[in-house]
Amino acid sequence: MKFSKLWLLVGAVLLAAITGAVTVTHALAQEGDPTLRERRCVDEGWRHVVLDVAGRSREVLWKGPAGAWPKGAIIAMHGGGGEYDQWCGRDSGIAAPQVRFGELAVADGFGIFLVNSSDEVSDEQGRVCGKVWDDEVRGRPNLDLPFLEQVMRQTIPGSRPAGSADAVFLTGLSSGGYMTVRAATHFNGLVKGFAPVSSGDPYGWHRVCEAGLTPRVKVEGAGYDNETGKQIIESDACRSESYPNEVAWDEGKAAVKPTFRMFHHELDGINDLSCADKVVRQLRAHGYPGEPDFLLHGGRRGLANHLWQDDYNRPILDFFTSRLGS
């Protein structure tokens, strides 16, 4: 299915509105020195931390209830081209449902950790992909798994008050949803439950980060399914009877694997419904128990249905709460 240049231009404008084309200089620090971009979040009680991970500066914003965190902690990952402050400090626009999710999580008894992707991810040919998560399996060391491990093993335990639940949950949108699946399977012994949003199969797709393939802000190239060769925006892009081109999955050390629930829209025009169906099928095949998808209906196929929706907020938090006693 081919999309008109006008549709792509509209998509680019909307994505620019989501992400804000802002360049940030990362300062090496243990805490604080937020830029103006993060200051809106810090002013609302979020803590800004910069971690040194394998020589790279990686940023975290976090917030929790005033006392103990009875429901543990959530790691939330933004979408491609996005920024971690899209979950806080903004009270209007199309990122507003993510802001409301962050505040609702804290009010519900969760600590929430917003993690920022790098802009250094490259494809197999070495071309820079831009502001995306390093969710694919490549021949080089992964840029984001060590970062997320440090957050799970050190930052969260060092931040939560005494008496807090030690459960860790993962969620993320789009590229962050792909990374949610990758991290939850790689670190399945550290994760209690995970909720990918508008996501697909990180072990069954690849990026071609050739300049000019997309008009998107801060992201180069496009994503393709390994079986069909179709771009994931196309209808039935990930529809296949078998997956001979699936790369080997990361197998963590959990005796009991964490439960997942997929959140998406049937008319997602950026990550086709078939791609969400594929990752659900693959997760189950690899032994991950899953609850029924939370699937939205209606409207017209397009970008708007790919974005984080207010309708996801309460069901995601209720799903995570249900896993505490498992």
Side-chain angles (χ1 to χ4, degrees):
M1 176 178 182
K2 296 189 180 295
F3 290 77
S4 69
K5 291 183 179 179
L6 177 60
W7 188 95
L8 288 172
L9 180 59
V10 170
V13 171
L14 284 171
L15 284 169
I18 299 170
T19 61
V22 180
T23 301
V24 176
T25 300
H26 299 279
L28 278 173
Q30 289 300 313
E31 164 132 15
D33 293 354
T35 66
L36 288 177
R37 194 188 68 203
E38 293 96 4
R39 175 58 62 186
R40 293 166 299 190
C41 301
V42 172
D43 288 346
E44 295 174 5
W46 294 79
R47 303 285 292 274
H48 176 249
V49 180
V50 182
L51 307 178
D52 185 341
V53 183
R56 290 183 172 89
S57 297
R58 304 303 302 264
E59 293 181 290
V60 181
L61 284 159
W62 70 267
K63 189 176 184 180
W69 305 348
K71 296 186 178 180
I74 299 169
I75 295 175
M77 288 174 264
H78 62 74
E83 301 288 347
Y84 66 152
D85 71 332
Q86 288 171 337
W87 304 93
C88 60
R90 300 185 184 196
D91 57 3
S92 62
I94 52 182
Q98 293 171 243
V99 176
R100 288 190 281 269
F101 176 80
E103 295 302 328
L104 186 60
V106 174
D108 236 33
F110 294 92
I112 181 166
F113 290 73
L114 316 178
V115 288
N116 204 17
S117 77
S118 74
D119 56 5
E120 300 178 32
V121 172
S122 60
D123 65 11
E124 287 286 31
Q125 287 70 44
R127 296 170 294 202
V128 176
C129 304
K131 193 74 168 55
V132 295
W133 292 97
D134 197 15
D135 54 74
E136 289 178 60
V137 179
R138 298 178 172 92
R140 57 168 174 74
N142 189 277
L143 300 183
D144 292 322
L145 290 174
F147 172 39
L148 294 172
E149 182 176 20
Q150 186 165 325
V151 172
M152 285 188 275
R153 292 190 184 275
Q154 298 179 27
T155 308
I156 292 175
S159 303
R160 62 188 173 215
S164 299
D166 61 3
V168 175
F169 303 97
L170 304 182
T171 191
L173 169 66
S174 189
S175 173
Y178 279 74
M179 196 67 214
T180 292
V181 176
R182 181 76 195 278
T185 51
H186 187 86
F187 299 116
N188 59 22
L190 301 178
V191 176
K192 194 73 170 177
F194 58 107
V197 175
S198 302
S199 175
D201 174 15
Y203 301 99
W205 84 312
H206 64 280
R207 286 190 181 88
V208 176
C209 299
E210 180 181 342
L213 289 179
T214 176
R216 292 182 62 188
V217 176
K218 296 197 290 185
V219 177
E220 293 287 1
Y224 297 85
D225 183 72
N226 287 355
E227 307 305 334
T228 67
K230 293 181 179 180
Q231 193 174 339
I232 61 170
I233 64 173
E234 299 181 57
S235 295
D236 292 330
C238 303
R239 184 89 49 212
S240 181
E241 294 301 317
S242 60
Y243 309 111
N245 295 308
E246 189 87 352
V247 300
W249 277 46
D250 294 340
E251 294 297 340
K253 300 179 180 179
V256 178
K257 294 179 178 179
T259 300
F260 71 92
R261 191 177 191 192
M262 184 69 61
F263 289 76
H264 56 121
H265 197 293
E266 66 172 347
L267 296 176
D268 187 336
I270 301 299
N271 186 78
D272 185 68
L273 175 64
S274 63
C275 300
D277 290 343
K278 177 182 178 180
V279 71
V280 168
R281 184 175 172 181
Q282 286 288 73
L283 281 165
R284 292 183 182 278
H286 284 82
Y288 289 86
E291 294 196 359
D293 290 14
F294 187 93
L295 181 64
L296 295 177
H297 306 273
R300 300 180 61 183
R301 189 174 189 275
L303 169 66
N305 296 327
H306 182 66
L307 305 178
W308 190 282
Q309 309 292 323
D310 273 312
D311 287 338
Y312 299 148
N313 289 348
R314 172 49 58 193
I316 289 176
L317 295 176
D318 288 347
F319 165 61
F320 288 160
T321 299
S322 74
R323 305 315 307 158
L324 289 169
S326 62

